[in-house]
Amino acid sequence: MPPISLLLVDDNLRFLRLLTRFLHTRYPADVVVMDVARSGIEALARAQIVRPQVVLLDLAMPDMPGWEVIPRLRKDLPEVGIIVLTLLESGGYREMVLEAGADAFVGKSALVTELLPAIRRVASNRLQRIPGEGIGSVLSGEEIGGREPPGRVEERHVRSGVGHRR
C-alpha cells in the first residue's frame, strides 16, 4: 500500500520541522509529507494544489483559525481527511471542530501514540466514505505544554517537484 500523503498546517516553524522529521524518520513507509502551510489561508491554497489524502491542522493560527479552515476545506475538497492536531485540547474545542467537519482530534502531547493510528483510520474512512455520511473516528490526547519554511521539507519538494513553494 502506498504511503498516505499529508499536508501539515501549523504556524510554529519549529513544530513543523520536528513533526516532519518525526514522521519521515519513524513512519517512512506509512506517510509522506507533501507540503506544509503556516497559516489557514495558505493551507487552503496548498491543499488545492497538493491534494493530500489527510491534512493535519492546528487550531491557533494568526490569519484564520483552524476551526474556520475546516468547513472551507470540507466544501472545496470533501475527499480530504482532516485531523486537528493541537494544544487546545478542551472539550469545547473538540466539539467545535468535529461539528465543523474534522474527522479526528489529536492532542499534540499524544501525537507519538495516537497520530499514526488516526491518520490511518481517517485515510481509510475517507476512501470508504459515501458523501454525506457522519464524522469519522475521534481520537484525543493529553495536554502538554521564524517564519521561513522548513528547510528539509522544502529541499525534498524541490527535488521531487512536488509542492513547489513561491
Side-chain angles (χ1 to χ4, degrees):
M1 179 153 92
I4 299 164
S5 61
L6 304 175
L7 171 64
L8 310 182
V9 184
D10 198 297
D11 65 329
N12 184 316
L13 172 62
R14 184 167 186 251
F15 180 74
L16 282 174
R17 286 180 176 159
L18 291 171
L19 181 59
T20 300
R21 187 176 308 128
F22 170 77
L23 292 167
H24 178 71
T25 303
R26 191 147 181 193
Y27 306 113
D30 297 299
V31 297
V32 60
V33 176
M34 299 299 291
D35 206 350
V36 298
R38 296 181 325 227
S39 73
I41 292 171
E42 185 181 9
L44 294 168
R46 300 308 307 156
Q48 287 286 342
I49 294 167
V50 177
R51 303 266 177 178
Q53 289 172 279
V54 176
V55 174
L56 301 182
L57 178 66
D58 189 25
L59 292 181
M61 292 184 287
D63 66 346
M64 178 186 293
W67 58 83
E68 290 181 12
V69 174
I70 294 166
R72 293 173 87 178
L73 269 176
R74 187 59 63 227
K75 179 180 176 253
D76 295 344
L77 299 168
E79 72 281 3
V80 171
I82 302 170
I83 299 173
V84 170
L85 181 61
T86 186
L87 287 173
L88 303 174
E89 299 183 43
S90 75
Y93 285 112
R94 188 175 288 118
E95 288 176 27
M96 179 175 40
V97 301
L98 295 174
E99 287 175 11
D103 295 294
F105 185 98
V106 177
K108 285 183 178 179
S109 65
L111 74 90
V112 171
T113 58
E114 295 185 12
L115 186 57
L116 185 61
I119 291 169
R120 286 178 175 156
R121 185 171 292 127
V122 167
S124 175
N125 285 350
R126 279 283 148 197
L127 287 175
Q128 297 171 13
R129 180 167 292 172
I130 298 169
E133 284 190 16
I135 295 170
S137 301
V138 179
L139 296 175
S140 63
E142 300 168 13
E143 190 166 345
I144 61 168
R147 300 294 301 174
E148 292 301 317
R152 291 186 180 174
V153 171
E154 181 76 13
E155 292 166 11
R156 190 173 336 117
H157 294 177
V158 171
R159 285 196 307 270
S160 69
V162 174
H164 179 70
R165 300 176 66 90
R166 292 171 254 143

